[in-house]
Amino acid sequence: MNFTDLFIAPFAEFEFMRRALVGIFALALGAGPVGAFLMLRRMSLTGDAMAHAILPGAAIGFLVSGLDLFAMTFGGLAAGLFVAVGAGVVARATELKEDASLAAFYLISLALGVMILSVKGSNVDLLHVLFGTVLGLDDPTLYLVAGIATFTLVTLAVIWRPLVLECVDPAFLSSVSRAGAPSHIAFLALVVLNLVGGFHALGTLLAVGLMMLPAATARFWVRDLTPLVCLATAIAFVSGFAGLLISYHVGAPSGPAIILVAGGAYVVSVLFGPAGGVIARRFPQRHFEA
């Protein structure tokens, strides 16, 4: 098997492979930067919790209207925002910490979503919502994912400075500006939006993988923010490209293949990454002494 047959032919011959590749590219553009900020803000598990939180809304939309894009998107978005706002309200009105409140909300949401699909739907419906159908993306879904990516990049450009300041020194930001709270709310909305977009391709269980694994991988290679965002986006896209090829040639499910490729890149980076990897920490380079 030559290079063309291995890497190019699947996308040249089959339209569904080209659609999947375009969808993954759009997801990477939005999820890469968002995942980098989630990691820097120590909110990685928040992304995972929000991915599970959209399940009951998407499930209700699926049962009401079937595979209707608007119904599932609106349901998932409403459920995700409800969990994010509800967890924040409970944390501020009680002595419970926000992480514990969010964990409680997302566990209830996950159980509710699985219960709805199990009682009212079928096993096929459950698998579709949990693991997505990246090889079945149609034009409206591609437009939705591309729109979310565009909106994400534009919004990040607007709130970039307060987001960076809040990562570095939130106390200083609160003392010189009131942009901290609005930028945080806008960022949470971007997280939910990108998870809803990723849900259509990778399902609720795997959508967060394309957001967090590339960001964590990139952190072992660069330390500055802008290169980190760019590298995380590139790793997300390459993981999607390689995962689709593995799925095509081996016959494995596409969504898990994509996330496993990203996971493999993470493992390699943990071992060999120059910015804090195992080998770099064990055998640090010597610096010239004056």
Side-chain angles (χ1 to χ4, degrees):
M1 184 177 292
N2 57 35
F3 177 87
T4 301
D5 293 336
L6 189 62
F7 293 100
I8 300 177
F11 302 103
E13 295 179 7
F14 299 103
E15 183 180 3
F16 68 87
M17 290 291 290
R18 294 194 294 272
R19 289 177 178 273
L21 186 63
V22 171
I24 289 296
F25 179 66
L27 287 175
L29 284 177
V34 170
F37 275 105
L38 277 173
M39 183 188 62
L40 292 175
R41 294 161 67 92
R42 295 177 175 85
M43 295 172 61
S44 300
L45 292 179
T46 299
D48 183 59
M50 296 307 299
H52 292 81
I54 68 176
L55 179 57
I60 293 173
F62 177 77
L63 293 179
V64 171
S65 303
L67 294 175
D68 182 75
L69 179 65
F70 174 79
M72 295 181 69
T73 300
F74 179 79
L77 185 61
L81 292 176
F82 173 79
V83 168
V85 173
V89 170
V90 170
R92 285 162 178 75
T94 67
E95 295 182 356
L96 194 66
K97 298 295 184 181
E98 189 168 8
D99 59 340
S101 176
L102 187 61
F105 269 81
Y106 103 77
L107 287 171
I108 294 171
S109 296
L110 178 61
L112 178 60
V114 173
M115 180 67 72
I116 292 172
L117 287 174
S118 299
V119 173
K120 299 295 184 179
S122 65
N123 289 334
V124 175
D125 299 335
L126 181 61
L127 291 176
H128 172 82
V129 174
L130 292 181
F131 300 106
T133 53
V134 67
L135 296 180
L137 300 179
D138 55 12
D139 285 344
T141 305
L142 289 178
Y143 293 146
L144 171 69
V145 175
I148 290 174
T150 303
F151 180 78
T152 298
L153 294 178
V154 171
T155 305
L156 284 177
V158 174
I159 64 175
W160 182 272
R161 293 177 67 88
L163 275 183
V164 174
L165 280 175
E166 194 169 26
C167 292
V168 177
D169 193 345
F172 173 76
L173 176 63
S174 62
S175 66
V176 299
S177 173
R178 295 181 179 179
S183 64
H184 179 70
I185 294 173
F187 178 70
L188 286 180
L190 291 182
V191 173
V192 175
L193 272 175
N194 280 274
L195 288 173
V196 170
F199 150 76
H200 290 290
L202 301 173
T204 57
L205 295 185
L206 298 179
V208 72
L210 201 64
M211 184 178 291
M212 295 312 310
L213 282 173
T217 301
R219 181 60 182 83
F220 287 103
W221 297 95
V222 295
R223 296 187 183 276
D224 294 336
L225 177 59
T226 301
L228 176 68
V229 169
C230 294
L231 184 57
T233 303
I235 292 172
F237 176 66
V238 172
S239 299
F241 177 76
L244 289 174
L245 287 176
I246 292 173
S247 172
Y248 175 83
H249 290 295
V250 179
S254 300
I258 292 171
I259 303 306
L260 283 176
V261 171
Y266 172 76
V267 172
V268 171
S269 300
V270 168
L271 295 175
F272 302 105
V278 173
I279 294 179
R281 289 174 63 89
R282 188 171 181 83
F283 304 102
Q285 296 181 353
R286 295 183 178 180
H287 298 277
F288 291 107
E289 296 181 0

